[in-house]
Amino acid sequence: AQSVTQPDIHITVSEGASLELRCNYSYGATPYLFWYVQSPGQGLQLLLKYFSGDTLVQGIKGFEAEFKRSQSSFNLRKPSVHWSDAAEYFCAVGRNSGNTPLVFGKGTRLSVIA
Amino acid sequence: EPEVTQTPSHQVTQMGQEVILRCVPISNHLYFYWYRQILGQKVEFLVSFYNNEISEKSEIFDDQFSVERPDGSNFTLKIRSTKLEDSAMYFCASREMTDPYSPLHFGNGTRLTVT
């Protein structure tokens, strides 16, 4: 069965600083990996996804993530954080079939300070 | 951009009562899902629905839960007799059929409070 671990519950960064949110997954085959963001009172918005090919994927809002099979990781990065990036970030893994329910991590809450 | 819409945004109910959470998926999407998020915990899969039947469900989705697509646009989650532990944010999601790798599109959720 798939599982996702986000080891950081809460991260605080200064505006303009770089960001890396960690995600480790467990899945026997090639995973489909996603990062979603949830702003307060909002639903889950897809930031980016990885299925195959280039292991560095670009997403919306200046985010990127790198798939590292050897480390079973899919860490999310942003070179310069904006105050509007403060939100909850969820990593998710899906099976490599069409109609696949996602398994989510517990999320990492990002706070941005001036 | 088309959105998944959910109503109501917040529902308060008494223990033992039935609730129906409503969702309008994106119009050309054919796979539908319900997820829930208990406060402070992870987002958990409940059920997926395709071609007017449940295609997969989790162990959370017991006999107290049911889903229905009563017409061409709505997708509902019913909890027959609510328990305190059903208090959570419930998210509806949909996915288009033609692209098997298309991501889920989530609604803004319904916060269910059982008292």
Side-chain angles (χ1 to χ4, degrees):
Chain A
Q2 313 107 283
S3 67
V4 176
T5 301
Q6 293 180 249
D8 304 306
I9 297 173
H10 185 200
I11 285 182
T12 299
V13 299
S14 299
E15 191 169 15
S18 64
L19 170 71
E20 182 169 32
L21 302 183
R22 296 183 291 166
C23 172
N24 293 95
Y25 68 89
S26 173
Y27 182 54
T30 300
Y32 292 164
L33 295 161
F34 306 81
W35 274 99
Y36 281 85
V37 61
Q38 182 184 28
S39 298
Q42 301 294 309
L44 296 160
Q45 181 184 21
L46 179 70
L47 283 177
L48 45 79
K49 62 183 186 287
Y50 170 80
F51 292 130
S52 64
D54 193 348
T55 56
L56 184 64
V57 293
Q58 303 297 320
I60 63 171
K61 304 184 179 185
F63 285 92
E64 67 177 26
E66 186 171 11
F67 171 59
K68 293 185 177 179
R69 184 186 299 275
S70 62
Q71 298 176 19
S72 298
S73 69
F74 189 57
N75 294 349
L76 181 72
R77 301 195 294 251
K78 186 170 183 177
S80 177
V81 169
H82 187 261
W83 64 266
S84 60
D85 293 325
E88 189 94 16
Y89 291 81
F90 293 93
C91 181
V93 63
R95 298 193 301 267
N96 53 354
S97 61
N99 185 18
T100 172
L102 297 182
V103 174
F104 285 84
K106 290 188 176 182
T108 297
R109 185 159 62 90
L110 174 65
S111 296
V112 181
I113 59 176
Chain B
E1 184 177 332
E3 294 180 341
V4 176
T5 57
Q6 291 185 243
T7 55
S9 57
H10 191 191
Q11 173 99 39
V12 181
T13 189
Q14 289 190 325
M15 192 168 53
Q17 295 295 305
E18 174 185 287
V19 294
I20 297 176
L21 310 182
R22 303 181 190 281
C23 170
V24 178
I26 295 173
S27 61
N28 65 334
H29 287 190
L30 294 176
Y31 290 103
F32 313 120
Y33 305 80
W34 283 100
Y35 285 78
R36 78 171 186 190
Q37 183 185 25
I38 295 172
L39 186 64
Q41 299 189 25
K42 66 172 68 176
V43 177
E44 301 173 293
F45 168 73
L46 292 179
V47 65
S48 60
F49 190 87
Y50 169 69
N51 200 25
N52 286 319
E53 61 183 21
I54 291 173
S55 44
E56 191 164 350
K57 60 183 181 180
S58 71
E59 58 188 24
I60 301 169
F61 194 87
D62 60 23
D63 292 344
Q64 293 298 314
F65 292 88
S66 63
V67 289
E68 191 178 32
R69 186 143 164 89
D71 53 43
S73 60
N74 289 285
F75 178 53
T76 62
L77 174 69
K78 181 192 292 186
I79 308 175
R80 187 160 54 203
S81 177
T82 51
K83 304 186 287 287
L84 294 176
E85 53 264 38
D86 293 327
S87 294
M89 181 74 90
Y90 288 81
F91 291 105
C92 174
S94 68
R95 189 173 67 77
E96 62 183 311
M97 174 184 172
T98 54
D99 179 0
Y101 309 121
S102 62
L104 299 184
H105 294 259
F106 285 85
N108 285 345
T110 294
R111 179 168 299 284
L112 176 65
T113 302
V114 182
T115 62

